[in-house]
């Protein structure tokens, strides 16, 4: 019996699942952007160097701790912000900047990369001063990226804009067709869930709804923002080394519309006989006249 107990104990140790799973590791790759230098002034101290685009495996990453040195070649990968002490508002803002930065369709230029990087630095450290030049230590020509920053910020500020008709109830008689026009001009950026009862078609900036011929229950359709890819948010951390992030929108907010069709109200027609029965009215008038005559007497 003792031997059986020892054997069972040994098997339980061998087969016990290991929940201490370590984060996956990735090596940082530096892609130098020739002819572009950053000049970063923090707390009165100037730091300058040739810009490098950071690549972590197959992902493009940004520095998220301005002024902190990179001291490791290998980083642990996290799929959330657990290793970064930022407010929720700052995390959301930085995610949007990175999302609309270098990897956004049509933004694949070095200027868009450094524009997004500067906006991230300034979001984390509003007191930072950043100048981009063609040479290190403020030498060469100043590089103007105002156009790229304005474009990124315009997209960031419009990201939470919803179709103008969202969060409303749309109703009409059965079989009718309703056309909703999005006054905010963002309908193209949204997917709409499939309707069980009605025909719903997106046509440019219009949503065309053909209601069911029979009365059905009220239905809620969700509207969700499209993404240009399915890549996740990744945060890279290792000890005291500069933290980096490959940025995507980690929490997308949904909106909706409600649809209701109603039966056509029944109209009861009163038959027209061609004459009016005024006998009741005459009788009422005669009683009134008699009452007045009594009063005069």
């Amino acid at each position: 019996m003792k031997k059986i107990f020892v054997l069972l104990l040994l098997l339980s140790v061998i087969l016990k699942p290991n929940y201490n799973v370590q984060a996956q590791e990735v090596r940082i790759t530096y892609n130098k952007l020739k002819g572009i230098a950053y000049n970063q002034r923090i707390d009165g101290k100037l730091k300058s160097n040739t810009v490098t685009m950071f690549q972590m495996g197959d992902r493009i990453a940004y520095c998220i701790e301005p002024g902190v040195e990179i001291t490791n070649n290998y980083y642990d990968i996290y799929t959330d912000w657990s290793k970064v002490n930022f407010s929720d508002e700052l995390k959301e803002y930085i995610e949007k900047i990175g999302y609309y930065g270098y990897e956004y369709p049509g933004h694949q230029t070095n200027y868009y990369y450094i524009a997004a990087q500067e906006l991230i630095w300034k979001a984390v450290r509003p007191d930072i001063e950043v100048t981009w030049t063609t040479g290190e230590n403020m030498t060469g020509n100043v590089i103007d990226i105002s156009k790229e920053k304005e474009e990124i910020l315009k997209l960031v500020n419009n990201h939470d804009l919803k179709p103008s008709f969202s969060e409303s109830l749309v109703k009409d008689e059965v079989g009718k067709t309703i056309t909703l026009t999005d006054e905010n001009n963002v309908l193209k950026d949204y997917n709409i869930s499939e309707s069980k009862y009605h025909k719903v078609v997106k046509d440019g900036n219009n949503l065309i709804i053909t209601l069911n011929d029979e009365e059905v229950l009220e239905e809620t359709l969700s509207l969700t923002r499209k993404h240009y890819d399915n890549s996740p948010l990744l945060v890279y951390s290792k000890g005291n080394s500069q933290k980096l992030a490959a940025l995507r929108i980690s929490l997308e907010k949904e909106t909706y519309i409600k649809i209701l069709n109603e039966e056509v109200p029944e109209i009861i027609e009163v038959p027209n006989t061609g004459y009016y029965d005024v006998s009741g009215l005459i009788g009422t008038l005669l009683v009134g006249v008699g009452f007045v005559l009594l009063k005069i007497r």
Side-chain angles (χ1 to χ4, degrees), residues 21-82:
V21 179
Q22 292 193 357
Q24 186 181 352
E25 201 173 53
V26 65
R27 180 171 182 164
I28 187 170
T29 301
Y30 302 91
N31 298 317
K32 285 198 172 186
L33 305 185
K34 294 180 179 179
I36 304 177
Y38 71 85
N39 302 273
Q40 197 184 76
R41 192 177 294 277
I42 302 176
D43 298 327
K45 297 179 181 178
L46 179 66
K47 292 182 62 176
S48 181
N49 207 337
T50 300
V51 175
T52 55
M53 182 184 293
F54 300 106
Q55 191 161 343
M56 314 295 279
D58 61 348
R59 300 294 300 276
I60 299 297
Y62 296 94
C63 293
I64 56 174
E65 291 183 312
V68 178
E69 297 288 342
I70 293 177
T71 57
N72 277 286
N73 290 325
Y74 288 89
Y75 276 80
D76 295 329
I77 306 172
Y78 300 88
T79 56
D80 58 29
W81 290 99
S82 57

Side-chain angles (χ1 to χ4, degrees), residues 25-26 36 40 47 68-69 72 78 89 101 104 113 123-124 138 160 181 213 227 240 259 271 282 290 292:
E25 201 173 53
V26 65
I36 304 177
Q40 197 184 76
K47 292 182 62 176
V68 178
E69 297 288 342
N72 277 286
Y78 300 88
E89 292 77 15
Y104 186 72
Y113 180 77
V124 178
M138 299 293 289
D160 291 328
T181 300
D213 289 332
H227 289 183
N240 294 324
I259 303 175
I282 293 171
V292 170

Side-chain angles (χ1 to χ4, degrees), residues 269-289:
E269 293 187 6
V270 178
N272 185 2
T273 59
Y275 65 90
Y276 296 96
D277 183 3
V278 296
S279 59
L281 177 60
I282 293 171
T284 303
L285 289 171
L286 289 173
V287 170
V289 170

Side-chain angles (χ1 to χ4, degrees), residues 162-169 221 223 254-258:
K162 304 170 185 176
S164 57
F165 49 73
S166 66
E167 299 177 16
S168 63
L169 173 63
L221 301 183
L223 293 159
E254 286 190 355
T255 186
Y256 65 88
I257 60 167
K258 293 184 177 182

Side-chain angles (χ1 to χ4, degrees), residues 257-269:
I257 60 167
K258 293 184 177 182
I259 303 175
L260 180 64
N261 69 343
E262 299 174 316
E263 289 284 1
V264 180
E266 186 178 357
I267 300 173
I268 301 174
E269 293 187 6

